Amino acid sequence: MSAKSLPPLHIDYQGERLAGVDEVGRGPLIGAVVAAAVILDPARPIEGLNDSKTLTARRREALDAEIRERALAFCVAEASPLEVDRLNIYHATHLAMRRAIDGLAPAAEYLLVDGNRLPGHPLPGQAVVKGDARHPAIAAASILAKVARDAQMLALDARHPDYGFARHKGYPTKEHLAALSRLGPLAEHRRSFAPVKKQLDLL
């Protein structure tokens, strides 16, 4: 279902302290799950906000800088691979989201969270399916989270070039699975994820 075919988004809040919240990195086999929360400034609109997956890397980085300059508040937070293994990816994602929300200054009054579940934060809010294509604050959060996580993968690639992280960003591509089989898991790999667990069981 595309965002265009979904019903109009009705928001139960009229003020200016509405935070869009999104995450990146649920599917990869390595690294943190990264979340962002953004309160946009109605007086300083940003053109071209959209789901981060539909934008080029260069456009995302340009918008990332603009969001950081113009937003009323933003925060990027994460849950570590260890927390992913300990809590499971679902709960770790919500932990990263709560950390991002708590890091906002000024604080949010209402949350719009991408997806179909709220992250268990005491603030009121609503979950928005395909929210990153339906509301600019969620789109802004998706861009900050994506740029931050991609930067982490580029840093990991610089330290471990044989795994190809700059290309696949940690997702379970053929290249990544082959490198995992050939070279074994790194400390940053998520041990609870099946392909990594399988390699660890062989050691």
Side-chain angles (χ1 to χ4, degrees):
M1 188 183 284
S2 74
K4 285 181 181 145
S5 63
L6 290 161
L9 182 56
H10 295 291
I11 300 168
D12 249 352
Y13 173 79
Q14 299 301 319
E16 288 190 359
R17 305 256 289 276
L18 177 150
V21 185
D22 202 0
E23 54 70 33
V24 171
R26 286 177 71 145
L29 305 178
I30 192 166
V33 59
V34 178
V38 179
I39 303 174
L40 293 174
D41 184 347
R44 304 182 78 197
I46 300 167
E47 289 295 316
L49 291 175
N50 205 339
D51 171 7
S52 63
K53 293 184 289 296
T54 68
L55 304 168
T56 64
R58 181 178 284 186
R59 186 75 186 115
R60 279 195 300 267
E61 282 161 21
L63 283 167
D64 179 89
E66 214 174 328
I67 293 159
R68 288 168 181 270
E69 185 195 331
R70 295 189 178 193
L72 278 178
F74 69 88
C75 181
V76 178
E78 61 184 56
S80 69
L82 201 61
E83 288 171 323
V84 170
D85 289 337
R86 203 171 68 231
L87 300 171
N88 79 33
I89 188 60
Y90 174 82
H91 291 297
T93 298
H94 283 183
L95 174 63
M97 285 181 168
R98 292 194 300 272
R99 285 172 173 162
I101 295 159
D102 287 341
L104 291 170
E109 292 176 346
Y110 193 83
L111 307 174
L112 282 186
V113 181
D114 186 57
N116 56 10
R117 294 280 175 89
L118 287 168
H121 194 279
L123 280 174
Q126 60 198 84
V128 183
V129 173
K130 296 201 177 294
D132 44 10
R134 295 172 74 196
H135 195 279
I138 303 176
S142 85
I143 290 163
L144 291 192
K146 173 79 173 144
V147 169
R149 199 188 128 86
D150 281 359
Q152 291 180 5
M153 288 297 103
L154 290 174
L156 199 59
D157 184 74
R159 294 200 302 277
H160 305 282
D162 293 341
Y163 287 81
F165 297 122
R167 289 182 293 279
H168 56 65
K169 304 297 190 289
Y171 284 89
T173 62
K174 278 184 183 171
E175 181 188 13
H176 190 182
L177 294 173
L180 194 58
S181 172
R182 191 172 71 250
L183 304 165
L186 296 167
E188 296 87 351
H189 272 102
R190 300 171 180 178
R191 275 141 173 68
S192 57
F193 279 42
V196 182
K197 190 171 184 301
K198 182 179 160 192
Q199 289 304 318
L200 289 166
D201 288 345
L202 295 173
L203 295 176

